[in-house]
Amino acid sequence: MRHPILSVLLCLSVGVFAGCQGGGSMTSQGVESGVWGDLDGDRVQRFTLRNGRGMEVDLCDYGAMVTGVRVPDRDGRSVDVVLGFDSIEEYPEKSQYFGCTVGRVGNRIGGGSFELDGETYQLAANNGPNHLHGGDRGFDKHIWNATEILTSRGPGVRFTRTSPAGEEGYPGTLEAEATYVLTENDELVIEMSAVTDAATPCNIVHHTYWNLGGHGSGTILDETLFIDADRYTPVDATLIPTGEIAPVDATALDFRNGKSIGADFEAFPPNGDDPGGFDHNLCLNGEVGTLREVARLTDPTTGIVMTISTDQPGIQFYTGNFLNGMIGKAGAAYEKNGGLCLETQAFPDSIHHQGEPGWSDVVLNPGNRYEHVMVHRFSTD
Ligand code: GLA
């Protein structure tokens, strides 16, 4: 690591923990922060959240991102289950949205344009003919403002940024927020929100690549996944939804009984530029706007289990199909399928399906607040 964290230990004392002991031991609950490096002359900060149970989360203000999550495995050994890089300078070069907060609209917008209130908005077509993850310089490629916080649930960091009107072609000035809190129940809570001064589509998405066997432990194909979804959104060859909302019955996308990710993997073989594998939006069961448990991932070797709860309508299940062997933390090579993303979200390309049955409203208007909650809870089997 070229830029070790400066030990600026803040140790926010709450409940079970009564202050800084011995300069911040593994069991001290709090936030540690320091300068990580710089990008184009701008200082980048890193933060480490700790709970009193041996769980740690590394965050960074560039991209409001997660760069590490260390959790005890079934034998009590600490395992880093998040793909990332040792230095901040590697992120702009090598990262495929690793750990970041994606916006203003995560996932794809077909044809890279949309109409709103009679106006046509042209966005960057940065993914074939389509717009992906907010454009050429989305929320993931900016340094956010950061504030360390202490909540009743545990320590955290609140990241904020103003996305000016016209940024990446979107209308309205958007004030965005992404807050991370680590609880004593081994939960990483992510709350994303935004307000605007003019109507705009908004779909802020969290993009961590998980490997519960450890970030350098090979593929995720032997992990077991449950997703509470009866339906999914079929896509065309460029990954834009056709508009249909189809049952998962008798498809490889039926994760309702839990199954190994590799079990039906050959249902999506490589084809030309398409590397194959899962890269699909599933339509989550339950009421949109209500926090409910929607996914459960288990690694057979470490026994680490992660459940995800959200208030969102959909989840993009992506098996790291574009990972290309780039060298990550501690020299680990991240080969194809070396990590997976479970990105809760509004359905991709929703802006072209406003008002259609099953599709949610992704237009944020002045006076309203966009809200998105994700809770990642860790345990062992
Ligand atoms: C998302 C998309 C994928 C891919 C990754 C980033 O999950 O659905 O197709 O673009 O982001 O590489």
Side-chain angles (χ1 to χ4, degrees):
M1 196 189 302
R2 263 177 278 170
H3 298 279
I5 289 183
L6 298 180
S7 281
V8 182
L9 189 69
L10 291 171
C11 273
L12 303 163
S13 59
V14 290
V16 293
F17 178 67
C20 297
Q21 290 158 356
S25 72
M26 284 289 288
T27 54
S28 302
Q29 187 183 52
V31 187
E32 186 180 329
S33 63
V35 174
W36 195 14
D38 71 85
L39 287 176
D40 300 328
D42 293 323
R43 191 187 65 167
V44 176
Q45 296 186 86
R46 190 147 84 149
F47 305 83
T48 298
L49 310 181
R50 294 196 173 89
N51 69 8
R53 298 165 45 84
M55 184 172 162
E56 299 180 325
V57 175
D58 298 326
L59 305 169
C60 173
D61 57 5
Y62 176 75
M65 65 181 171
V66 170
T67 59
V69 172
R70 290 174 293 283
V71 286
D73 69 6
R74 58 157 77 93
D75 299 320
R77 276 187 296 255
S78 177
V79 180
D80 185 349
V81 294
V82 163
L83 275 58
F85 302 101
D86 284 332
S87 68
I88 187 58
E89 291 85 351
E90 290 167 274
Y91 276 85
E93 293 161 30
K94 300 203 259 181
S95 174
Q96 295 179 356
Y97 303 94
F98 280 19
C100 63
T101 302
V102 174
R104 176 178 306 198
V105 174
N107 215 296
R108 292 174 176 78
I109 294 179
S113 72
F114 65 90
E115 270 182 38
L116 190 59
D117 300 332
E119 293 269 329
T120 300
Y121 295 92
Q122 188 58 53
L123 310 169
N126 58 333
N127 188 243
N130 306 317
H131 179 79
L132 176 70
H133 290 336
D136 290 331
R137 191 175 179 208
F139 289 9
D140 59 298
K141 296 179 185 69
H142 288 271
I143 297 174
W144 296 50
N145 300 312
T147 312
E148 294 167 32
I149 56 169
L150 179 59
T151 74
S152 56
R153 293 175 297 178
V157 178
R158 173 172 299 128
F159 296 103
T160 57
R161 85 169 287 263
T162 302
S163 166
E167 183 179 61
E168 290 295 329
Y170 289 103
T173 300
L174 192 85
E175 303 287 348
E177 211 172 284
T179 299
Y180 295 88
V181 171
L182 175 61
T183 77
E184 282 302 306
N185 293 326
D186 295 332
E187 293 157 324
L188 172 60
V189 180
I190 310 178
E191 289 176 346
M192 293 160 273
S193 66
V195 292
T196 184
D197 65 1
T200 176
C202 180
N203 181 36
I204 303 175
V205 169
H206 181 75
H207 209 292
T208 284
Y209 287 71
W210 304 99
N211 185 329
L212 300 186
H215 70 96
S217 67
T219 78
I220 44 66
L221 297 178
D222 62 347
E223 298 194 343
T224 300
L225 179 64
F226 157 82
I227 301 180
D228 190 13
D230 293 340
R231 292 169 301 158
Y232 76 107
T233 48
V235 289
D236 68 14
T238 69
L239 296 181
I240 295 299
T242 59
E244 188 194 352
I245 294 184
V248 296
D249 303 62
T251 75
L253 292 164
D254 189 350
F255 286 94
R256 292 173 295 184
N257 295 316
K259 64 174 175 176
S260 125
I261 292 167
D264 294 323
F265 207 70
E266 65 288 351
F268 303 107
N271 181 12
D273 289 344
D274 174 1
F278 292 100
D279 195 354
H280 295 81
N281 172 64
L282 289 98
C283 311
L284 296 168
N285 295 337
E287 204 174 319
V288 176
T290 301
L291 191 66
R292 67 246 192 248
E293 191 172 305
V294 297
R296 179 184 166 97
L297 180 68
T298 309
D299 185 86
T301 307
T302 60
I304 295 172
V305 179
M306 178 179 77
T307 62
I308 296 182
S309 302
T310 191
D311 56 356
Q312 293 297 294
I315 195 165
Q316 187 80 12
F317 172 42
Y318 168 61
T319 44
N321 311 323
F322 294 106
L323 294 177
N324 55 13
M326 67 275 264
I327 301 301
K329 287 185 277 191
Y334 300 145
E335 305 289 353
K336 187 174 174 186
N337 311 132
L340 63 82
C341 304
L342 288 162
E343 308 156 56
T344 58
Q345 61 180 357
F347 303 167
D349 203 30
S350 282
I351 191 67
H352 289 132
H353 298 279
Q354 293 298 279
E356 294 177 23
W359 292 79
S360 55
D361 183 359
V362 287
V363 177
L364 178 67
N365 287 297
N368 293 337
R369 176 175 283 267
Y370 166 83
E371 284 177 332
H372 178 167
V373 183
M374 284 182 107
V375 180
H376 302 77
R377 181 163 199 279
F378 295 87
S379 59
T380 53
D381 240 3

